[in-house]
Amino acid sequence: MARPPQGQPHPGRQLGVLGLIFVVLYLFVFFGSGAKGSFTERLHPKLGLDLVGGTQATYVASVQGGKAPSKDSMEQARDIIQNRVDALGVSEASVVIQGNSNIVVSLAGEAKDQLKDLAQAAQMRFRLVIGATGDVATQALHPSTATPSAPASGAAPSTVPSAGASAPAGATAPQVNSSPSSGGQGGGEVVKAPAPSTPPSAGAPSADASAPAATPTPVTTGAPAPGNAPVTREQVAQKVGATEWAAASKLAAPVDLSTDPKAGLAYKNFATLKGNEVAALSAQMQFAVPTIGCAQLDNRPNGAIDDAKSEVVTCYNGGKILLDKAPVIGNDIDKASPAFDQQSGQWVVSLDFKSEGSTKWAALTKTAFNATSTDPCFTAATAMYGQVDHCAVAVVLDKAIVSAPQIQGVLTGTSQITGQFNATSAKDLADKLKFGAIPVTFDAGPAETVSATLGIQQLQAGLLAAAIGMALVAIYAFFYYRLLGSVIFLSLILSGLLTFGALIVLGRSIGFTLSLAGIAGFIVSLGVAADSFVIYFERLKDEIHEGRTPRSAVPRAWARARRTIISANTITILAAVVLYIVSIGAVQGFAFALGLATILDLLVVFLFRHPIMTMFANTKAFLSPRVSGLGRVLRRAQTDVKEA
């Protein structure tokens, strides 16, 4: 066999590189991360909703004041939900706006648990605790089993209640620490400045490490409360009656039923109010009326306590808590990420504030730290935890208090939210904070399973049509190009195998799912591949027609066709990239598949088509007009040589 021209790589080396790529790719397919089951099962790509069925959930925007949310608000909400879906590790999920107030999310496979929290508002507020009913301090104490971190210099160790439990009178409250200080109580922080620590060791729990049973997360979920239509205070006053309304309006502090159980009879009609009716009351009335309970407060519509400029009421450990205005909000947070605290052996959520947010946070913690025993916040902290040194700041997410720690210093840097997190719940909370607060509150609609029957029928019809088309292309290629037709046929097979392997690996690594739109993209890419064959072979004919031998015509035709092939494929790839960026859902799947298949076709062009043609050019069969497929061009060239 003749050596390739100077500057041209040896065809055997190029074919060897292609073979190495196949070996590595299919090693990932059969033995890579996520490869499970039998060898046959490992060859199954991840299929989309329209092929294997899946779950579809509808979120209905809460109408405030009878007005539908603005178009911009709905678009922003859709983008945030899309980011949250992507954070779940899924791809090609459909997140679309339907009508003026609905967002529909569709995921392949069973995903009801993943979908239920996607549209939570995730509005974080940091509020000073300024009031607490006495029943907060009467809950049973459940000490944490985690080892407290070492106390600060001069500080005494403390026993800390676990999340979901509160301390009786005399118990030590959860605390916020910034730096060692005299007289403070250290250890067992709920929100704190992170202590210096080494990176997590190999022994630290991984993201899917098993967590204690029934570990609560700090996010309130559940079905929307009945009766979420907005009501006015006048309507509520009419329902409870003028006498009870007048008595409730005069309350300056909560009525203590422990001393006079019959005192609640004067407010019995307030116990019949629904969540949306309670939300219409002032914060002071919600807090002071004894017959308004936590069940009613929890059933208020989403967003009921989001107003950062107003005092609000919520529940914590079974008692009602009155919270001040929120000087620090979720938008003041710059970064939120899960982390493993080596000292406590627990997962935490680390918060970094923006420049202005850090100033606000420092001012809030300074207020809580410097408060005296006569301040309302100090009285509230005492009601919550018994003997305390400083006021408490509640970290509120949506309608739930994540934690209400005592402030042990002025915090100016990174802070940590701790609780009974595992790796999953810490990541869930961090993602909700990181991807922003949804500007519209939603009620979760029904989540239903989508049948794949129609998709499977369409897939079968599409694959049948693709097979018929491929067969016709192969027949025409062998008829028109003969030996060269085998190059076309083998190239398409290799491209298909590369694409198939890439689909499996990408499905496991980035969650790419193959849908009907993706299959359409791959089929369209076949036309791009066929065009490159025609360009190359017709260039080859031109070179032979000009009097060159097939051996010399092959490299010259390749040099001339290569630029055209690269240009055409580059345009296709750029079009796919632009389409992927500006589109959503199924159209993105089409664009991704088209771009991927085009890139792999270029790989086959350079590592198979050109080197195999170089090898064919040195065979006797290639010089035969009957076998090569060059036909009339070779005969004419041979005739011209004889005449010369």
Side-chain angles (χ1 to χ4, degrees):
M1 181 182 296
R3 291 181 176 273
Q6 188 174 2
Q8 294 287 339
H10 196 283
R13 295 175 184 173
Q14 293 172 290
L15 294 174
V17 171
L18 181 62
L20 180 62
I21 292 174
F22 266 97
V23 171
V24 172
L25 176 62
Y26 277 88
L27 282 176
F28 277 107
V29 169
F30 289 108
F31 306 105
S33 176
K36 299 178 181 179
S38 64
F39 282 99
T40 302
E41 292 172 342
R42 297 180 189 186
L43 287 173
H44 290 170
K46 187 175 182 180
L47 300 179
L49 177 71
D50 51 359
L51 300 182
V52 296
T55 305
Q56 188 175 77
T58 301
Y59 302 99
V60 183
S62 299
V63 179
Q64 302 294 335
K67 295 182 179 180
S70 67
K71 183 178 179 180
D72 290 341
S73 296
M74 290 295 291
E75 286 290 348
Q76 185 180 352
R78 195 211 69 80
D79 291 341
I80 293 173
I81 293 176
Q82 181 71 64
N83 288 334
R84 293 180 181 180
V85 171
D86 294 340
L88 295 175
V90 298
S91 179
E92 211 167 313
S94 173
V95 182
V96 297
I97 299 174
Q98 286 187 352
N100 296 325
S101 58
N102 293 354
I103 290 182
V104 179
V105 182
S106 302
L107 296 178
E110 291 292 334
K112 289 186 179 180
D113 292 338
Q114 293 176 310
L115 289 178
K116 67 180 181 181
D117 297 333
L118 285 178
Q120 283 190 339
Q123 301 275 11
M124 175 159 276
R125 303 286 187 259
F126 296 84
R127 298 178 182 268
L128 191 67
V129 178
I130 57 176
T133 56
D135 49 352
V136 175
T138 62
Q139 306 295 316
L141 176 66
H142 298 287
S144 172
T145 58
T147 303
S149 58
S153 176
S158 62
T159 303
V160 183
S162 62
S166 60
T172 302
Q175 299 161 15
V176 175
N177 285 347
S178 59
S179 59
S181 60
S182 60
Q185 296 173 338
E189 299 87 356
V190 173
V191 178
K192 63 181 182 179
S197 62
T198 57
S201 63
S206 61
D208 52 351
S210 59
T215 300
T217 67
V219 182
T220 300
T221 61
N228 279 337
V231 297
T232 63
R233 291 187 183 180
E234 289 74 15
Q235 291 173 314
V236 178
Q238 185 177 5
K239 180 174 181 178
V240 300
T243 302
E244 289 194 19
W245 182 264
S249 300
K250 296 178 182 179
L251 291 176
V255 177
D256 187 0
L257 298 181
S258 63
T259 58
D260 184 9
K262 295 183 179 180
L265 294 176
Y267 311 97
K268 61 180 181 180
N269 287 336
F270 281 91
T272 65
L273 297 181
K274 298 178 180 179
N276 59 330
E277 295 168 334
V278 171
L281 304 178
S282 67
Q284 183 61 37
M285 189 176 290
Q286 294 177 35
F287 180 61
V289 174
T291 51
I292 295 178
C294 286
Q296 293 165 287
L297 294 172
D298 290 341
N299 283 334
R300 288 173 296 180
N302 291 334
I305 63 171
D306 284 346
D307 187 1
K309 298 180 180 180
S310 302
E311 294 180 359
V312 298
V313 176
T314 187
C315 286
Y316 186 58
N317 297 325
K320 291 191 289 187
I321 304 293
L322 179 63
L323 303 173
D324 201 0
K325 300 175 183 179
V328 183
I329 62 176
N331 289 339
D332 292 320
I333 297 173
D334 183 33
K335 298 178 182 177
S337 59
F340 184 75
D341 189 342
Q342 292 280 10
Q343 292 188 349
S344 65
Q346 296 179 342
W347 283 93
V348 300
V349 176
S350 179
L351 299 178
D352 289 318
F353 290 90
K354 299 175 183 177
S355 177
E356 185 177 352
S358 181
T359 302
K360 295 177 183 177
W361 176 235
L364 176 59
T365 55
K366 181 178 180 180
T367 299
F369 181 69
N370 293 331
T372 65
S373 59
T374 59
D375 289 324
C377 67
F378 198 95
T379 304
T382 303
M384 293 174 66
Y385 300 115
Q387 184 177 358
V388 295
D389 294 327
H390 305 286
C391 292
V393 170
V395 184
V396 185
L397 183 67
D398 299 331
K399 294 183 294 182
I401 293 180
V402 176
S403 60
Q406 224 187 132
I407 300 298
Q408 288 298 105
V410 179
L411 294 175
T412 58
T414 300
S415 300
Q416 290 178 343
I417 300 177
T418 68
Q420 288 188 339
F421 292 115
N422 58 20
T424 302
S425 59
K427 180 180 182 299
D428 177 68
L429 176 58
D431 285 344
K432 285 183 171 64
L433 300 177
K434 179 169 58 177
F435 294 128
I438 295 179
V440 182
T441 57
F442 288 89
D443 295 325
E448 56 187 10
T449 300
V450 179
S451 172
T453 303
L454 179 60
I456 292 176
Q457 293 175 348
Q458 292 174 332
L459 173 63
Q460 292 173 343
L463 292 179
L464 178 60
I468 294 174
M470 284 288 293
L472 292 175
V473 170
I475 292 172
Y476 178 80
F478 280 113
F479 176 78
Y480 189 76
Y481 288 114
R482 301 189 184 181
L483 180 62
L484 298 182
S486 64
V487 178
I488 299 176
F489 185 71
L490 291 174
S491 296
L492 293 178
I493 290 178
L494 292 176
S495 293
L497 291 175
L498 279 176
T499 301
F500 183 73
L503 281 177
I504 297 174
V505 174
L506 291 175
R508 296 172 185 166
S509 59
I510 66 172
F512 176 74
T513 55
L514 178 62
S515 64
L516 287 172
I519 292 174
F522 289 126
I523 293 176
V524 170
S525 70
L526 294 177
V528 178
D531 286 342
S532 63
F533 286 113
V534 174
I535 292 171
Y536 188 12
F537 293 160
E538 294 304 317
R539 286 288 190 185
L540 180 59
K541 289 183 178 181
D542 290 342
E543 293 295 330
I544 295 175
H545 182 69
E546 292 176 3
R548 294 180 178 87
T549 64
R551 290 181 182 178
S552 63
V554 166
R556 291 183 64 88
W558 166 247
R560 295 177 62 185
R562 179 177 55 197
R563 292 190 295 268
T564 306
I565 293 172
I566 293 176
S567 299
N569 282 272
T570 300
I571 292 173
T572 302
I573 293 172
L574 289 176
V577 170
V578 172
L579 187 61
Y580 183 86
I581 294 174
V582 302
S583 61
I584 60 173
V587 180
Q588 274 190 327
F590 171 83
F592 186 91
L594 178 60
L596 174 64
T598 304
I599 292 173
L600 294 178
D601 176 64
L602 273 176
L603 190 68
V604 172
V605 166
F606 280 86
L607 297 182
F608 177 76
R609 191 181 310 167
H610 173 53
I612 203 70
M613 286 294 296
T614 302
M615 296 176 66
F616 278 173
N618 293 284
T619 63
K620 292 182 179 180
F622 191 78
L623 300 177
S624 171
R626 292 184 178 180
V627 178
S628 66
L630 297 176
R632 297 179 180 178
V633 179
L634 274 177
R635 294 190 186 96
R636 187 182 303 171
Q638 292 172 356
T639 301
D640 293 342
V641 170
K642 291 179 180 179
E643 291 178 353

